[in-house]
């Protein structure tokens, strides 16, 4: 069988709808898939699992077991930086799964198998953007099942998508990745979220619900950039109020300084921190993208850190297979 290549873009996570145990559903991710940067995996049938990357190997072994195939030979042609707010673990896991399946001409449900790879335990944004790209809102999980301790690994289903919209082709997402300590993950992330959930103010969730339904979703539907950005920024700040005690502020340092600097730029709106950071984003359009890049470089220089700056469209489709 021929080699199969699967490529998927990163995602930005704008925040959750609710982190309070006092409300019926917990989490409920809000985010967008990007065209760039990407993870790309090439796969061929094999009699065992062969891949040099340890994390890809773990996902490949799970995929081989679930798909009931003898093995796979994988090559990572493009990689996403890990733990910076791009959803790298989910995109890599699903790309490995899809490429392994493609190498055997199989077409399993990626959504159904994602929990077996340990993905979508909280947010369903990564799975949804891998499937179809776009701006996405998911339904979260019933609070009775996801309390301060999540269910055992794999004992969940991916949250359903409750809204998905293609964003205008002229919109651009400015992405700034400072060269600092990566964001939280694994047991550290679990402990931090446990602390947040135990003390989360349900009133913040009620505020977010109003912004989401009365401003963000209408703006996404109608293609109104300024309103979309204002709503994203509001939701990001309200999420940051939940996290302030565990991450050292509404946004983690130095993301907070970058957010403040970029928010003052007249060509940017919707400035915020993706997931646990340190990646910071903003929204602009194709006419102002170059100015946004200059603003980002000035912001990095002003905070005294190095970093990567890129501009991407929102992904209009999910992962590609060739």
């Amino acid at each position: 069988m021929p080699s199969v290549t699967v490529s998927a873009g990163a995602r930005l996570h704008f925040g959750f709808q609710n982190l309070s145990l006092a409300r019926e559903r917990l989490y409920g991710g809000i985010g967008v898939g990007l065209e760039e940067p990407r993870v790309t995996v090439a796969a061929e049938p094999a009699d065992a699992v062969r891949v040099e990357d340890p994390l890809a190997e773990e996902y490949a072994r799970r995929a081989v077991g679930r798909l009931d195939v003898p093995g796979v030979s994988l090559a990572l042609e493009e990689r996403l930086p890990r733990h910076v707010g791009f959803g790298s673990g989910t995109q890599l896991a699903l790309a490995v799964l899809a490429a392994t399946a493609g190498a055997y001409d199989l077409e399993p449900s990626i959504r159904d198998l994602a929990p077996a790879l340990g993905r979508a335990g909280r947010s369903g944004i990564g799975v949804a953007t891998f499937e179809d790209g776009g701006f996405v809102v998911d339904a979260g999980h019933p609070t009775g099942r996801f309390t301060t301790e999540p269910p055992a690994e794999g004992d969940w289903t991916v949250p359903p998508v409750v809204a998905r919209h293609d964003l205008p082709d002229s919109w651009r997402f400015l992405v700034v990745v400072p060269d600092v300590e990566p964001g939280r993950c694994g047991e550290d992330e679990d402990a931090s979220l446990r602390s947040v959930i135990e003390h989360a103010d349900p009133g913040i969730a009620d505020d977010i619900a109003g912004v989401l339904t009365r401003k963000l979703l209408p703006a996404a539907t109608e293609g109104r950039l300024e309103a979309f950005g204002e709503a994203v920024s509001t939701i990001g700040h309200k999420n940051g109020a939940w996290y302030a005690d565990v991450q050292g502020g509404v946004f983690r340092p130095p993301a907070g300084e970058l957010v403040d600097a970029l928010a003052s730029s007249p060509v940017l709106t919707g400035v915020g921190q993706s997931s646990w950071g340190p990646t910071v984003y903003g929204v602009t359009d194709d006419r102002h993208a170059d100015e946004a890049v200059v603003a980002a470089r000035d912001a990095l220089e002003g905070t005294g850190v190095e970093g990567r700056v890129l501009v991407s469209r929102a992904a209009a489709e999910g992962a590609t297979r060739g």
Side-chain angles (χ1 to χ4, degrees):
M1 294 183 182
S3 173
V4 172
T5 300
V6 173
S7 183
R11 65 95 178 105
L12 296 176
H13 204 282
F14 300 149
F16 288 115
Q17 297 170 60
N18 174 49
L19 292 179
S20 169
L21 297 174
R23 297 295 177 262
E24 291 183 0
R25 297 191 75 88
L26 200 60
Y27 305 119
I30 306 167
V32 66
L34 299 178
E35 285 189 353
E36 299 289 341
R38 304 186 71 81
V39 58
T40 302
V41 177
E44 294 180 346
D47 57 4
V49 172
R50 300 192 181 97
V51 56
E52 294 183 0
D53 182 89
L55 184 59
E57 180 181 7
E58 176 187 341
Y59 292 137
R61 292 192 182 281
R62 295 193 189 198
V64 163
R66 285 290 174 168
L67 297 170
D68 194 23
V69 297
V72 66
S73 177
L74 294 173
L76 270 63
E77 298 180 352
E78 293 181 277
R79 302 168 187 255
L80 291 172
R82 295 185 63 194
H83 309 313
V84 301
F86 282 157
S88 62
T90 295
Q91 300 312 304
L92 174 61
L94 301 185
V96 166
L97 173 62
T100 301
Y104 288 92
D105 201 25
L106 301 174
E107 296 187 5
S109 168
I110 299 298
R111 175 169 288 268
D112 288 348
L113 291 181
L117 274 66
R119 310 316 303 178
R122 295 185 180 92
S123 173
I125 299 300
V127 174
T129 58
F130 186 92
E131 291 176 318
D132 296 309
F135 162 69
V136 178
V137 179
D138 77 55
H141 299 275
T143 302
R145 285 183 51 73
F146 273 72
T147 56
T148 57
E149 294 290 344
E153 186 168 298
D155 186 22
W156 62 77
T157 57
V158 179
V161 172
V162 293
R164 182 206 171 275
H165 296 283
D166 287 322
L167 299 179
D169 188 59
S170 61
W171 289 15
R172 297 291 185 273
F173 285 87
L174 174 77
V175 181
V176 185
V177 189
D179 293 334
V180 295
E181 288 292 319
R184 299 174 191 234
C185 63
E187 293 182 1
D188 186 29
E189 180 182 17
D190 288 342
S192 296
L193 270 173
R194 185 180 306 117
S195 177
V196 170
I197 290 169
E198 287 172 348
H199 303 96
D201 178 0
I204 293 176
D206 299 338
D207 292 343
I208 290 172
V211 175
L212 176 67
T213 56
R214 294 194 293 271
K215 190 164 188 177
L216 183 55
L217 288 175
T221 303
E222 297 168 355
R224 292 184 288 116
L225 177 60
E226 287 296 329
F228 180 90
E230 290 169 1
V232 165
S233 179
T234 299
I235 288 171
H237 279 81
K238 288 187 178 297
N239 268 257
W242 276 324
Y243 296 121
D245 289 343
V246 299
Q247 68 176 4
V250 172
F251 302 109
R252 58 159 286 190
E257 295 178 66
L258 292 172
V259 168
D260 289 343
L262 293 174
S264 68
S265 170
V267 300
L268 284 164
T269 185
V271 180
Q273 170 185 300
S274 182
S275 189
W276 290 104
T279 290
V280 170
Y281 56 79
V283 194
T284 188
D285 60 27
D286 51 1
R287 297 175 300 154
H288 299 98
D290 290 344
E291 294 172 77
V293 169
V294 172
R297 290 174 177 159
D298 288 346
L300 285 168
E301 183 177 355
T303 57
V305 298
E306 300 291 326
R308 179 185 179 192
V309 178
L310 63 97
V311 175
S312 176
R313 289 182 175 88
E317 61 179 357
T320 60
R321 172 176 156 179

